[in-house]
Amino acid sequence: MKIVLIDRDGVLNEDRADYVKHPGELVLISRVGEAIARLNGAGIKVAVVSNQSAIGRGIISPDMLEQINGRLLSELARAGAKIDLFLVCTDAPGSPSERRKPAPGMLREALSHFRMVPADAVMIGDQLSDLRAAKAAGVARFLVRTGKGAQTQASGLPADILPVSVYDSLMEAAVSLVPIA
Ligand SMILES: [Mg+2]
């Protein structure tokens, strides 16, 4: 594995039904910094691929999203963790582009940024849209049970996106990719 593509809400930070609207609403999920630092240490690239329809819906401004993501990056940095590439799709669901998950555009963009191929990558997410985007991009699929993940698993994973590896958290997924020596 050379690159891990990670969803934001529900994987790195707690999901909010009413969206993370300012930095004060950003709550990191336990041990995510440690998980990413573990991938960093193994030389695996880490890219965030995040749908942020709150912008397309007019709920937050692009500047506010910058501030929220800036807070996320600085909290991760305090844990020694670095995000190598941060991609967002601000489309509203009613007018999605090829970038908005479940379409694979952002995933392909991340791969081409690092000149990598789908077989180099795994996508880690908490919703079916993450897994569908990964399937469409030809990328391996991990579901984490944080955020909406437990609900996604309980609803039943469609046969066409299998196999999907399921982990309790990003930390557990990171340990499976970079085993404890
Ligand atoms: Mg999510």
Side-chain angles (χ1 to χ4, degrees):
M1 201 58 56
K2 294 184 187 170
I3 182 168
V4 175
L5 308 167
I6 302 181
D7 173 44
R8 195 195 83 175
D9 299 304
V11 180
L12 294 175
N13 55 272
E14 299 290 355
D15 191 60
R16 285 180 67 101
D18 63 342
Y19 306 99
V20 177
K21 298 177 294 306
H22 58 82
E25 291 183 341
L26 187 81
V27 179
L28 263 61
I29 291 171
S30 170
R31 299 181 80 187
V32 293
E34 193 183 341
I36 290 169
R38 184 172 195 88
L39 300 171
N40 294 152
I44 297 171
K45 295 292 182 194
V46 177
V48 174
V49 289
S50 175
N51 283 356
Q52 289 299 329
S53 69
I55 291 190
R57 296 170 199 263
I59 294 168
I60 64 169
S61 67
D63 177 65
M64 183 56 75
L65 180 64
E66 286 285 311
Q67 290 184 45
I68 293 164
N69 289 340
R71 164 81 170 262
L72 174 62
L73 293 175
S74 67
E75 289 201 19
L76 291 175
R78 276 195 293 163
K82 176 172 152 261
I83 301 294
D84 297 295
L85 181 68
F86 205 122
L87 299 179
V88 299
C89 176
T90 60
D91 301 343
S95 48
S97 69
E98 173 59 17
R99 294 182 79 254
R100 179 173 165 81
K101 297 175 289 185
M106 271 193 292
L107 285 63
R108 289 185 176 141
E109 198 175 317
L111 292 177
S112 72
H113 178 89
F114 293 108
R115 300 181 190 285
M116 290 182 186
V117 296
D120 294 330
V122 60
M123 170 80 211
I124 305 178
D126 69 321
Q127 287 195 265
L128 219 44
S129 54
D130 300 309
L131 306 176
R132 288 199 187 286
K135 171 70 181 180
V139 166
R141 298 162 292 285
F142 284 9
L143 174 69
V144 288
R145 290 167 46 79
T146 52
K148 295 190 176 83
Q151 188 185 318
T152 300
Q153 184 187 24
S155 303
L157 300 176
D160 64 300
I161 59 162
L162 299 178
V164 173
S165 303
V166 182
Y167 298 96
D168 279 341
S169 65
L170 184 62
M171 184 61 197
E172 197 184 280
V175 169
S176 86
L177 291 168
V178 185
I180 293 163

